[in-house]
Amino acid sequence: MFWLSFRCKDPAPRFRRASFLGVGALLMAALTPALPASAAQAVPHDHHPGRAAGHAVSIPKGGAEDRLGDPVVTPLGSFGGIRYVQYDGVFEGETSTGRFRVPYRISAPADPDRTNGTAVVEPPHFVVGLGALNVYLHRDFLFRQGFVHAGVGWSTLGNRILDPSVPGTFIEGGVEEDGARVDDEIITDFARALASRSSGARPLVGKLPRRYGTGFSDSSYPLLRLVHSGDATGALDLVLPITTEGFDPQADIAAGRYKGKVLIVNSEADDSTNLTDRGIVTNRYRFYVVAGSPHIPDPLDAPLNVPFPVRGTTPASFVPALRAHFLQGHNWVRKGSPPPTSTQLRTAGDNTIVRDANGNAITEDRTGRLVPRLPFVELGEARFITGFTGSYDNVRTVQQLGFSSHRAYAKAFENKLRDYRKAGFILPQDARDMSRRASLCPPSTFTETYRDHYAEFVAIRPCTAR
């Protein structure tokens, strides 16, 4: 366990993490109702493992290794013709430091043969739980492609336990943090159990030769600690931390402590100083940063009747790049196809960020070559201000941008979007949505539409006559 050494390693990231956690706690009440219902809300609390809401799955008993208990089963619907179910149960066993009994939640095809052989393992965030699944990557994105998603409690702090309503949970090992117990090893024990014949996972998920670990902000740190400790080797083939900082996995890879691949996606607001790709392990490491994006972007799909705390803050987001890089990482593991070269923000000699005439950060690849930014950032539609939630100012009209008409603007937007997609920073569907939003409300630009016609922007619906 390397938790204590990491906590004392770098005071600046620790201070920033504490600030983010504090603000996150204040946002909890506003944020949680806007997210998809958890299984704790979807399944009556008088159900227990083995008494399924949909149908029963009996897990073989016996053996002393870490095991998944019989789950409650909840239908999730069909995604791209694949019927999914959710399994909620208890995972129990013992890490190198102590015993545990924690909730698990697996979303998988009802027919295990319909999986693509890959599980995405997510340690829950202390505020929003499984946010990589419910906020950033999204169920539809993962499930249409046959991914299994698996979350497990790894700490008794807040929603890190996954479902605080489950009775009889405990963590005896690990370390103490703010009056709670934290045991990172539970995450890798769970990942190994997903591929084990005797753990009870096989009837739920089938064969899973590939397992990836992902988490964001608070939930990204245990993954990088597991890389550092070496415990991720053999358990996670790919580690994909989102909006993280402070921990540098390149030295761990170079030293042989981790044998898999690491791919990191950060916002401009995150301190990426220690994460910039130094070119020492390019066969197993990638780092990407999205200029103009905040630590928490507007997800755009929260219900409009819910007071979502980041609605309308900024249209700049790292999420399209995250989805593109996730699939690139998947192909990196499956086929050995290398993702695009790592990116970074251009900095001056004193390490301050170099900005363009509009005040927006400039992005380059590891070699110093300029790379495309989000098309509305490239066009200078506004100054996009990063931070915990972000903002923007100095919004410019089509004429102020130098275009003779909205048609000319739309053509330029398409050209910048094409460059962004060609560079590998956005997937075709996300690019189509972005293109449509730029043309919803002529003569408004993409950014003006976000500001002035938010409901139409979110729904991708043309503006009504004004």
Side-chain angles (χ1 to χ4, degrees):
M1 298 292 293
F2 288 79
W3 172 247
L4 292 177
S5 65
F6 266 128
R7 290 188 71 186
C8 301
K9 189 173 181 180
D10 189 340
R14 185 170 71 249
F15 173 79
R16 287 170 57 83
R17 287 197 299 274
S19 298
F20 281 173
L21 293 179
V23 176
L26 293 174
L27 291 176
M28 179 185 289
L31 179 61
T32 304
L35 300 177
S38 68
Q41 297 167 317
V43 180
H45 287 300
D46 62 351
H47 281 83
H48 298 281
R51 292 165 54 191
H55 59 279
V57 173
S58 180
I59 292 178
K61 305 298 181 185
E65 68 175 34
D66 301 342
R67 298 188 56 78
L68 281 72
D70 290 343
V72 169
V73 186
T74 307
L76 293 178
S78 182
F79 299 83
I82 305 175
R83 188 165 60 89
Y84 266 73
V85 294
Q86 180 172 288
Y87 300 106
D88 285 273
V90 171
F91 179 53
E92 53 188 324
E94 187 171 0
T95 67
S96 65
T97 58
R99 295 170 57 246
F100 62 85
R101 186 179 189 273
V102 296
Y104 73 81
R105 180 171 303 149
I106 297 173
S107 301
D111 176 0
D113 291 336
R114 298 295 303 275
T115 75
N116 65 5
T118 309
V120 178
V121 179
E122 180 181 358
H125 185 281
F126 91 111
V127 175
V128 296
L130 301 177
L133 170 66
N134 293 326
V135 181
Y136 295 138
L137 291 174
H138 284 291
R139 296 183 179 196
D140 194 65
F141 172 78
L142 290 174
F143 297 169
R144 283 179 175 273
Q145 300 172 81
F147 285 99
V148 170
H149 181 276
V152 67
W154 59 284
S155 166
T156 57
L157 178 65
N159 285 331
R160 287 179 181 173
I161 198 63
L162 181 62
D163 186 349
S165 72
V166 174
T169 60
F170 63 84
I171 295 175
E172 294 180 346
V175 297
E176 187 273 338
E177 179 195 8
D178 297 328
R181 300 300 302 179
V182 176
D183 193 343
D184 298 341
E185 289 183 42
I186 296 174
I187 301 165
T188 42
D189 279 12
F190 183 61
R192 291 185 178 93
L194 292 173
S196 170
R197 286 183 174 274
S198 57
S199 67
R202 187 62 62 87
L204 310 182
V205 298
K207 296 180 180 179
L208 292 177
R210 294 176 298 275
R211 287 145 293 155
Y212 308 155
T214 192
F216 62 99
S217 189
D218 168 70
S219 59
S220 72
Y221 302 123
L223 297 172
L224 289 176
R225 293 195 296 267
L226 289 164
V227 167
H228 183 67
S229 71
D231 199 53
T233 293
L236 299 171
D237 304 285
L238 173 71
V239 172
L240 199 161
I242 308 163
T243 58
T244 193
E245 56 186 37
F247 308 150
D248 176 18
Q250 294 173 87
D252 301 321
I253 295 172
R257 287 188 285 270
Y258 179 59
K259 304 295 186 181
K261 295 176 168 62
V262 175
L263 190 157
I264 296 174
V265 178
N266 263 8
S267 75
E268 183 185 326
D270 301 299
D271 182 358
S272 300
T273 306
N274 294 338
L275 301 172
T276 301
D277 190 340
R278 302 194 301 276
I280 59 174
V281 284
T282 55
N283 61 327
R284 303 225 304 276
Y285 183 76
R286 288 292 188 277
F287 172 77
Y288 303 100
V289 59
V290 180
S293 61
H295 185 73
I296 299 181
D298 185 344
L300 299 181
D301 57 0
L304 290 177
N305 62 345
V306 175
F308 199 70
V310 294
R311 175 177 293 124
T313 52
T314 177
S317 174
F318 59 79
V319 172
L322 169 64
R323 293 176 187 153
H325 295 319
F326 172 83
L327 290 186
Q328 291 158 4
H330 180 49
N331 286 328
W332 201 14
V333 174
R334 284 195 313 140
K335 304 176 182 178
S337 307
T341 304
S342 296
T343 64
Q344 59 199 30
L345 300 180
R346 178 164 290 183
T347 56
D350 59 356
N351 286 326
T352 58
I353 295 173
V354 176
R355 299 186 178 276
D356 63 20
N358 299 301
N360 294 315
I362 296 170
T363 311
E364 60 187 18
D365 69 13
R366 185 180 59 81
T367 69
R369 180 179 62 91
L370 288 176
V371 296
R373 297 171 294 178
L374 287 160
F376 47 94
V377 176
E378 286 285 351
L379 291 176
E381 294 186 20
R383 179 172 72 101
F384 296 95
I385 304 167
T386 65
F388 190 72
T389 56
S391 60
Y392 57 98
D393 65 10
N394 194 29
V395 178
R396 303 164 74 192
T397 66
V398 164
Q399 289 73 28
Q400 289 170 332
L401 291 172
F403 297 106
S404 59
S405 65
H406 189 271
R407 182 176 181 180
Y409 157 78
K411 182 177 180 180
F413 191 97
E414 285 299 316
N415 289 339
K416 297 300 183 184
L417 182 57
R418 181 196 60 215
D419 294 342
Y420 199 62
R421 179 180 171 187
K422 186 176 180 181
F425 301 154
I426 192 170
L427 294 172
Q429 180 58 56
D430 286 330
R432 284 192 290 271
D433 289 347
M434 193 173 288
S435 175
R436 291 171 62 193
R437 284 180 167 126
S439 299
L440 289 176
C441 305
S444 296
T445 65
F446 181 94
T447 304
E448 286 180 302
T449 303
Y450 178 86
R451 181 191 64 187
D452 302 332
H453 308 281
Y454 187 80
E456 287 82 2
F457 186 95
V458 170
I460 314 183
R461 183 180 66 239
C463 294
T464 56
R466 288 171 289 166

